[in-house]
Amino acid sequence: MHKNTKIKIAIFVLLVGMACMFTAVVTDHWAVLSPQVHKVNETCEAAHFGLWRLCKKHIYIHSENFREGQSCGPISLPGEENCTYFRHFTPGQDAEIFEYKTQKEYNISAAAISIFSLIFSILGSLCLLGSCTGKGKGRHYLLKPAGMFFAFAGLCAFISLEVMRQSVKRMIESEDTVWIKYYYSWSFACACSGFVLLFLTGIALLIISMPQMPRNPWETCMDAEPEQGE
């Protein structure tokens, strides 16, 4: 396979990874929390949240859907929804989330690191653009920093995922919370996909941009045959 073909495939995969990560950052379905339902024909309150917003949904539990010990939901059931933004960067105020105080640093860290992931993706895209519009044998030089930027973007996405996972775990384990069950939703899956695609393809792009290794031990890099993609 020619080098240019490999680069085109890598660029396509990176575009998909960036789309997944951007979707995860701007949506509010990273995790879904549910309290236990004690009575039939009553309204319970489930919640889903992302990096910036918490949405609480009032769901009416009918008698035909009620089971002993079940949790509120599923979140896809119809109900009145109310969304509020987290006060991440308001100084001097505690984050009153899910009816008890959580560690504000978790939410700030996950949101900030995800922004770094997007910034690295933008820098990598600029390097790719410069490589595609350049001319001559040196036009692939920008592929090396592009691969590094995309690998860093994937790494930041992974850190943001882990911080969010630890945050949800602390919420559920707290004695002050009413939530008994949780699961990670499609926004979290988008972030996972973005991490895998950006990190692995960034490393692959970095390897592709490296000079071709000599085929024989007595050859030096300067004596090696020219690359097919040039």
Side-chain angles (χ1 to χ4, degrees), residues 18-33:
M18 286 188 291
C20 290
M21 194 61 203
F22 180 79
T23 302
V25 171
V26 300
T27 52
D28 309 314
H29 288 79
W30 283 61
V32 177
L33 304 176

Side-chain angles (χ1 to χ4, degrees), residues 100-111:
Y100 70 98
K101 294 181 180 180
T102 62
Q103 289 192 352
K104 193 175 183 180
E105 291 79 7
Y106 277 92
N107 294 324
I108 295 175
S109 299

Side-chain angles (χ1 to χ4, degrees), residues 218-229:
W218 54 85
E219 288 183 347
T220 63
C221 293
M222 297 299 296
D223 297 329
E225 295 182 5
E227 298 177 359
Q228 297 179 354

Side-chain angles (χ1 to χ4, degrees), residues 154-204:
L155 186 61
C156 288
F158 171 76
I159 297 174
S160 181
L161 285 165
E162 180 61 22
V163 172
M164 179 63 73
R165 193 181 70 84
Q166 293 296 329
S167 176
V168 174
K169 183 178 178 182
R170 291 180 68 91
M171 292 174 190
I172 295 297
E173 292 178 351
S174 174
E175 297 179 354
D176 299 324
T177 183
V178 298
W179 314 102
I180 62 168
K181 289 187 179 181
Y182 74 97
Y183 63 90
Y184 299 106
S185 192
W186 58 269
S187 295
F188 192 87
C190 285
C192 291
S193 300
F195 151 63
V196 173
L197 296 177
L198 290 174
F199 183 77
L200 294 183
T201 312
I203 297 297

Side-chain angles (χ1 to χ4, degrees), residues 65-116:
N65 298 327
F66 177 77
R67 296 189 305 274
E68 188 68 27
Q70 78 173 48
S71 59
C72 183
I75 197 72
S76 57
L77 291 176
E80 182 181 355
E81 191 172 71
N82 181 26
C83 297
T84 56
Y85 284 92
F86 297 144
R87 296 180 178 181
H88 284 323
F89 306 105
T90 305
Q93 294 186 12
D94 290 328
E96 294 290 343
I97 308 172
F98 312 127
E99 287 81 37
Y100 70 98
K101 294 181 180 180
T102 62
Q103 289 192 352
K104 193 175 183 180
E105 291 79 7
Y106 277 92
N107 294 324
I108 295 175
S109 299
I113 295 172
S114 66
I115 294 299
F116 279 115

